[in-house]
Amino acid sequence: MNFPDRSRSDDMPSSDPPNHNSINQYELVDFGGGRKLERVAGRLIDRPSPAAEGLATKQNARWKVAASRFDEKEKQWNHRVEWKPGRCVECGGFRMPVAPTPYGHIGVFPEQQANWDWLRTRELPEVSSGDRPKALNLFAYTGASTMALVSAGFAVAHVDAAKQNVQSARAAAKANGWDDPPIRFLVDDAVKFTAREVRRENRYHTIVMDPPAYGHGPSGKAWRLARDVWPLIDDSLKLLEPDAFRLLITGHSPDVDQNDVQVYLADRVPRTVSPAGTLRFETGRLRLPDQFGRKLDAGFFVRVWNER
């Protein structure tokens, strides 16, 4: 992510930028030992990263001056300098607030930048005059993909089971200056919502999903990606507009990768969607480069669309 750097660095814990609403860059500084060191909106932070297990760090001295560190055992952040509200990162056409969460997250996943660019730069499908093409964002978290889609001209159904995530997505819309955005903010179970949309015979031009490897729905039912993503994909395919559609699936799991998803979609999309034109795929791994050119794995992506 190449964000414009509009204020000085916050490498040292005593050097918080004076303007806490300024837009700064994201940078992966170092990683190793199951953790990653990042500069986020001018602030140096140290937090867990399972993908960095078994790897060696490169800059031991830099880790000692991190302004914020998440303790995985204690499940809490330790701040050497207060993390003041109002920080944002520019994501290329929209912005996202960044703040520490109780789970060691920061409100945005920088490795998704290439996917946001893909969502924003594809040609919009043709719709009736005055209408917007429709998009569905499942497991939508704090809404970066939602903001990317809105900035590209879509009306979005933003679905996440966690009320706090949906509240954060509302805040992200306000951070972009959108008082009345074309977004339906929905606190709902992604699987149940998608099934209801199938029964309603609704259709979407774009569907995005970033399901977790493990989790629990609002009712307490266990979610396992390797078991549960396939019926969800089946229902999602029934919602796609066959004349012009895009589907983006990302994930982090040792049990499912991009090849598994592509093989499944290559079989199911032609039979379920009956797409017009030629079916296209892009697949791969999401990776974040550090200052030494090393790349930290951040999961898989699968992009599917029809080309006419």
Side-chain angles (χ1 to χ4, degrees), residues 6-8 17-24 41 86-89 95:
R6 299 180 185 171
S7 72
R8 56 196 176 91
N19 179 2
H20 298 287
N21 291 308
S22 63
I23 300 172
N24 299 272
R87 293 175 179 266
C88 288
V89 289
R95 62 177 55 183

Side-chain angles (χ1 to χ4, degrees), residues 5-154:
D5 189 358
R6 299 180 185 171
S7 72
R8 56 196 176 91
S9 170
D10 188 19
D11 277 11
M12 298 299 292
S14 60
S15 60
D16 249 22
N19 179 2
H20 298 287
N21 291 308
S22 63
I23 300 172
N24 299 272
Q25 72 182 104
Y26 170 88
E27 183 180 18
L28 178 60
V29 177
D30 194 9
F31 60 85
R35 304 188 69 85
K36 56 186 173 184
L37 186 67
E38 305 160 290
R39 186 177 293 107
V40 181
R43 187 178 186 87
L44 199 65
I45 65 173
D46 168 5
R47 59 188 179 125
S49 173
E53 289 285 356
L55 303 175
T57 61
K58 293 284 189 178
Q59 303 185 78
N60 292 338
R62 301 290 294 279
W63 294 77
K64 297 177 182 179
V65 297
S68 297
R69 186 181 191 278
F70 186 77
D71 188 312
E72 198 168 16
K73 291 183 179 179
E74 298 295 329
K75 303 294 183 186
Q76 68 178 19
W77 286 91
N78 297 307
H79 303 296
R80 299 177 70 183
V81 172
E82 180 187 2
W83 189 321
K84 297 182 180 180
R87 293 175 179 266
C88 288
V89 289
E90 175 64 36
C91 301
F94 66 97
R95 62 177 55 183
M96 286 296 295
V98 288
T101 78
Y103 304 102
H105 297 156
I106 57 172
V108 67
F109 291 103
E111 64 270 17
Q112 294 283 349
Q113 178 70 67
N115 286 328
W116 302 330
D117 292 343
W118 183 74
L119 292 172
R120 293 188 68 252
T121 57
R122 305 294 300 184
E123 184 177 350
L124 288 178
E126 294 183 4
V127 294
S128 301
S129 177
D131 290 340
R132 287 172 173 258
K134 294 172 59 180
L136 172 61
N137 189 8
L138 300 171
F139 307 97
Y141 190 49
T142 56
S145 291
T146 295
M147 304 306 132
L149 287 161
V150 170
S151 70
F154 283 81

Side-chain angles (χ1 to χ4, degrees), residues 125 133-138 154-159 184 186 193-194 196-198 200-208 235-247 273:
K134 294 172 59 180
L136 172 61
N137 189 8
L138 300 171
F154 283 81
V156 185
H158 174 104
V159 182
R184 295 166 59 204
L186 302 163
F193 177 83
T194 303
R196 290 198 302 272
E197 289 292 88
V198 171
R200 295 168 183 150
E201 298 184 351
N202 282 332
R203 294 291 181 269
Y204 294 89
H205 300 93
T206 294
I207 297 179
V208 178
D235 273 353
S236 297
L237 294 180
K238 297 172 186 175
L239 299 177
L240 288 172
E241 285 281 5
D243 289 338
F245 73 86
R246 296 178 303 175
L247 175 64
V273 184

